[in-house]
Amino acid sequence: KAVVSTQSTGGWRWELTLILFPTFLTLIALHFTDESPRYYVANGQYDKALGVLQKMAQWNGMELPEMELPTEVESYSNSYFEVYQQPYTRMSVIVSIIQFSWSWCMTGITYFIPDAMSYSYCYLSDFFTSTYTDQHGCTLYTKTEYFFYLAFTALYIPGLFLGGFSVEYFGRKPTALWTFWTLTGLYMVLLVCIHYSITIAILALAYITLGTVTILIWVLSPELYPSYMRTTSNGILNTFNRLGAAGGAFFTEYVDPYSMRLTVSTYIVLSLITAIACLFINRETKGSYLKDTRSEVSSYGAAGIPLSETNVLPTTDNNGQGVEVPNVEESKTN
């Protein structure tokens, strides 16, 4: 099946062009992007490292304090398996589940909506009456239906803003809990299939909530690991993201024609498993500084602050502005 507007012969070219356009902007932006200070120091480029720090301070309206850059930086040839070793095991497993479940449901719902219009799931035929299938088996929509689908998926964007607020104000674990318990409830209502208006509302709320989870993943995953293994860990965790996307798309596409309720049931099961897994998050990375080396991890424990401890003391920076820093002595004790 394909989602196209009626009487369109080259619309896919415009769609592909619009999709690729941000990629070209990214290539241009990369030319003006600095490497991290750590990278410059590791390669003996101290002037460039100091320049990046000064630029960061200027953008944040701060004055860079006097400092001495380290002459040596710890480097490791970390193993892929280290991501699931102590002290990262618990959080790595939980984030892997979050990545897989979110991606499965996000991709699945994107496929599910046009299928729901095509197969009249939950009385959607009362809302969409002009959808039909041509001789090649392609699903054709009117322009009104097509733009409705685009506007519907755009609800993902408000979810991003909601996610930024939630992870910063409430924290990472509370955001993980309320989003996946909410998704579980929404999918259960979707399974009941009461009225097409309720179906549309449920799908809209699910899209917004999935957008919130996106920010949670972007923020939480890098915070869990020290600098020397942050890139490797994100790559491994994103593998589960890609597996979930492939599984959700494949399952939804081939199961929907036979049982759309079975498709929704998989969303319920995955969201419920993830919500339960999030109950076992034992550290909150909100308010915790990013660790840099293995020695910091071994001294202060896994990333984040134990949920049973405060471990944060008020202090002031060089400009007299109030900030919060971790209580290192208590962290060592914990």
Side-chain angles (χ1 to χ4, degrees):
K1 298 188 299 299
V3 181
V4 295
S5 58
T6 57
Q7 299 179 350
S8 175
T9 57
W12 64 270
R13 293 183 176 89
W14 286 105
E15 182 179 8
L16 185 61
T17 301
L18 291 174
I19 292 173
L20 292 176
F21 181 70
T23 304
F24 292 112
L25 295 180
T26 303
L27 291 174
I28 296 173
L30 286 174
H31 180 70
F32 301 96
T33 303
D34 295 304
E35 292 284 358
S36 68
R38 175 183 173 82
Y39 172 84
Y40 285 132
V41 170
N43 288 274
Q45 298 174 298
Y46 304 108
D47 292 338
K48 289 185 177 181
L50 188 60
V52 173
L53 293 173
Q54 290 173 338
K55 185 186 296 185
M56 293 168 61
Q58 182 180 1
W59 285 354
N60 287 278
M62 307 290 288
E63 182 178 350
L64 187 67
E66 294 184 4
M67 64 175 66
E68 291 185 8
L69 295 177
T71 57
E72 295 182 2
V73 177
E74 294 181 80
S75 60
Y76 305 93
S77 56
N78 55 297
S79 167
Y80 292 111
F81 299 103
E82 187 175 357
V83 175
Y84 293 97
Q85 295 174 356
Q86 293 294 347
Y88 315 109
T89 307
R90 179 193 294 230
M91 291 302 299
S92 292
V93 171
I94 293 174
V95 174
S96 297
I97 295 173
I98 291 175
Q99 292 261 23
F100 182 87
S101 175
W102 166 81
S103 192
W104 180 295
C105 295
M106 183 70 210
T107 309
I109 284 292
T110 303
Y111 278 72
F112 179 86
I113 293 174
D115 282 353
M117 293 191 293
S118 301
Y119 304 129
S120 187
Y121 181 73
C122 287
Y123 313 107
L124 281 179
S125 60
D126 296 337
F127 189 77
F128 297 105
T129 57
S130 54
T131 302
Y132 66 96
T133 303
D134 68 5
Q135 66 273 20
H136 303 294
C138 293
T139 303
L140 303 179
Y141 300 99
T142 64
K143 291 182 179 179
T144 301
E145 293 172 326
Y146 185 65
F147 282 107
F148 170 83
Y149 178 65
L150 292 179
F152 198 90
T153 54
L155 291 172
Y156 177 76
I157 298 176
L160 299 178
F161 289 97
L162 177 60
F165 170 80
S166 182
V167 297
E168 186 62 29
Y169 186 81
F170 298 109
R172 284 52 163 167
K173 180 176 181 178
T175 300
L177 288 173
W178 80 256
T179 51
F180 281 101
W181 283 114
T182 298
L183 287 171
T184 302
L186 291 174
Y187 296 142
M188 286 181 175
V189 176
L190 184 62
L191 188 65
V192 175
C193 234
I194 302 174
H195 189 265
Y196 73 83
S197 60
I198 297 178
T199 300
I200 293 174
I202 292 299
L203 290 172
L205 291 174
Y207 245 105
I208 294 174
T209 308
L210 288 167
T212 302
V213 178
T214 305
I215 296 297
L216 170 68
I217 292 173
W218 288 350
V219 172
L220 178 61
S221 298
E223 292 179 334
L224 297 175
Y225 309 95
S227 297
Y228 80 91
M229 61 179 295
R230 194 166 291 135
T231 302
T232 301
S233 61
N234 282 334
I236 294 175
L237 295 176
N238 280 327
T239 300
F240 289 90
N241 186 312
R242 301 298 181 262
L243 290 173
F250 180 85
F251 189 89
T252 302
E253 182 69 10
Y254 287 96
V255 173
D256 272 355
Y258 305 100
S259 176
M260 299 192 77
R261 281 185 169 82
L262 178 59
T263 301
V264 176
S265 297
T266 63
Y267 304 154
I268 295 174
V269 171
L270 286 173
S271 297
L272 180 61
I273 291 174
T274 308
I276 295 174
C278 290
L279 292 172
F280 294 91
I281 295 177
N282 61 343
R283 286 178 176 268
E284 176 58 66
T285 56
K286 177 179 181 290
S288 175
Y289 73 104
L290 292 177
K291 293 173 171 49
D292 194 45
T293 64
R294 179 182 294 165
S295 58
E296 287 182 296
V297 174
S298 60
S299 297
Y300 308 146
I305 302 172
L307 294 177
S308 60
E309 304 290 342
T310 303
N311 283 343
V312 177
L313 296 178
T315 185
T316 57
D317 59 22
N318 293 335
N319 294 323
Q321 300 295 321
V323 298
E324 289 184 339
V325 297
N327 184 338
V328 176
E329 293 304 320
E330 287 190 14
S331 298
K332 288 182 178 180
T333 303
N334 293 327

